Amino acid sequence: MRFMETPDNATPSAEETPAVTGIAAQDWATASADENYRAAVVDLLGALAYGELAAFERLAEDAKLAPTLADKAELAKMASAEFHHFEQLRDRLSAVGAEPTGAMDPFVAALDGFHRQTAPSDWLEGLVKAYVGDSIASDFYREVAARLDSDTRKLVLAVLDDTGHASFAVEKVRAAIDADPRVGGRLALWARRLMGEALSQSQRVVADRDALSTMLVGGVADGFDLAEVGRMFSRITEAHTKRMAALGLAA
């Protein structure tokens, strides 16, 4: 998606990484024999695909708010990367026998609602949304990816990979705060709102789809148990706090 990895959100070391077992040790051909697992993956890819398509549209729209031609070009480059990610997910859905539009449809209302409720009012809010807001959703999908078969996991992590623009957002936001410290308070409030809306959206998406919710709380493959779901959201919140610090904002 957008600005996924920062030095503070690094991949766990080998000592911290659990052994790969169960579904996570299988390829798609083997894992997809479980119809419930297959349905969960189609849901996951559908949600991701529409998320990337919506991100493409939003970044193209946000480019209109850019203060300089160079900034406009940078956002256009990001939008292009998002559309490429969408194409990868769309093609994968077709390859596993799912109709891409049908797989995306269940997630349109929730994602469109999130973007309506968090429409930025200016250039800086747009950058904060891309860096902080989208990263929360990406952290969630990364957590799920750890439980996926090897083929699906590789694709999901590839489309969530940092497009290389995290430093761009951090530089622009920090420069704005340095120029006018009052901006920091407004953007901090905005980021807190994004955090709440993004977590609510993730929970709604999962709750509305039986296969996805079963994968998360157990019952499909190596799903999370309820305690692990709580730990997962704690890790997402911690990563959000670190990203806020990188922007020079209070969480």
Side-chain angles (χ1 to χ4, degrees), residues 10 17 38 60 215 225:
T17 304
R38 184 186 182 282
M215 176 189 286
D225 58 25

Side-chain angles (χ1 to χ4, degrees), residues 8-164:
D8 287 325
N9 190 29
T11 302
S13 67
E15 293 78 8
E16 298 171 317
T17 304
V20 177
T21 59
I23 288 289
Q26 299 176 11
D27 60 12
W28 169 254
T30 303
S32 61
D34 183 326
E35 287 299 319
N36 289 329
Y37 175 76
R38 184 186 182 282
V41 169
V42 169
D43 272 352
L44 180 66
L45 297 182
L48 274 169
Y50 188 69
E52 295 293 343
L53 183 59
F56 160 73
E57 293 178 316
R58 195 188 73 246
L59 284 170
E61 186 68 21
D62 287 353
K64 298 176 183 178
L65 301 172
T68 70
L69 186 58
D71 292 334
K72 190 183 296 288
E74 194 70 17
L75 279 191
K77 184 178 179 181
M78 287 189 250
S80 177
E82 301 295 2
F83 192 76
H84 178 58
H85 289 162
F86 161 73
E87 291 178 313
Q88 291 177 283
L89 291 159
R90 178 200 61 196
D91 293 347
R92 179 60 177 168
L93 282 164
S94 295
V96 301
E99 201 285 307
T101 301
M104 291 188 287
D105 275 343
F107 308 100
V108 171
L111 288 168
D112 283 358
F114 170 74
H115 289 305
R116 277 195 306 271
Q117 292 163 9
T118 58
S121 62
D122 61 18
W123 160 249
L124 291 173
E125 286 190 2
L127 286 179
V128 171
K129 180 178 178 179
Y131 179 60
V132 174
D134 292 345
S135 294
I136 295 167
S138 295
D139 284 342
F140 170 76
Y141 288 124
R142 283 177 181 276
E143 293 276 358
V144 176
R147 299 301 206 271
L148 299 173
D149 66 272
S150 58
D151 297 318
T152 304
R153 181 169 65 250
K154 181 179 179 181
L155 172 63
V156 169
L157 293 178
V159 300
L160 294 177
D161 198 15
D162 183 3
T163 53

Side-chain angles (χ1 to χ4, degrees), residues 163-247:
T163 53
H165 299 88
S167 59
F168 174 77
V170 171
E171 176 189 349
K172 296 294 181 180
V173 172
R174 292 189 75 106
I177 294 171
D178 288 342
D180 181 1
R182 293 173 300 178
V183 170
R186 173 172 67 86
L187 294 180
L189 288 173
W190 170 243
R192 290 186 199 112
R193 178 183 169 193
L194 290 169
M195 176 67 173
E197 293 288 352
L199 288 179
S200 294
Q201 179 226 1
S202 297
Q203 291 165 347
R204 284 195 301 270
V205 165
V206 172
D208 288 345
R209 306 298 295 175
D210 289 343
L212 269 182
S213 61
T214 302
M215 176 189 286
L216 281 173
V217 301
V220 171
D222 308 315
F224 298 101
D225 58 25
L226 287 172
E228 177 58 20
V229 171
R231 290 190 290 270
M232 175 185 73
F233 281 107
S234 292
R235 290 191 293 270
I236 291 172
T237 301
E238 181 181 356
H240 167 73
T241 300
K242 292 177 179 178
R243 288 193 184 98
M244 292 282 282
L247 289 172

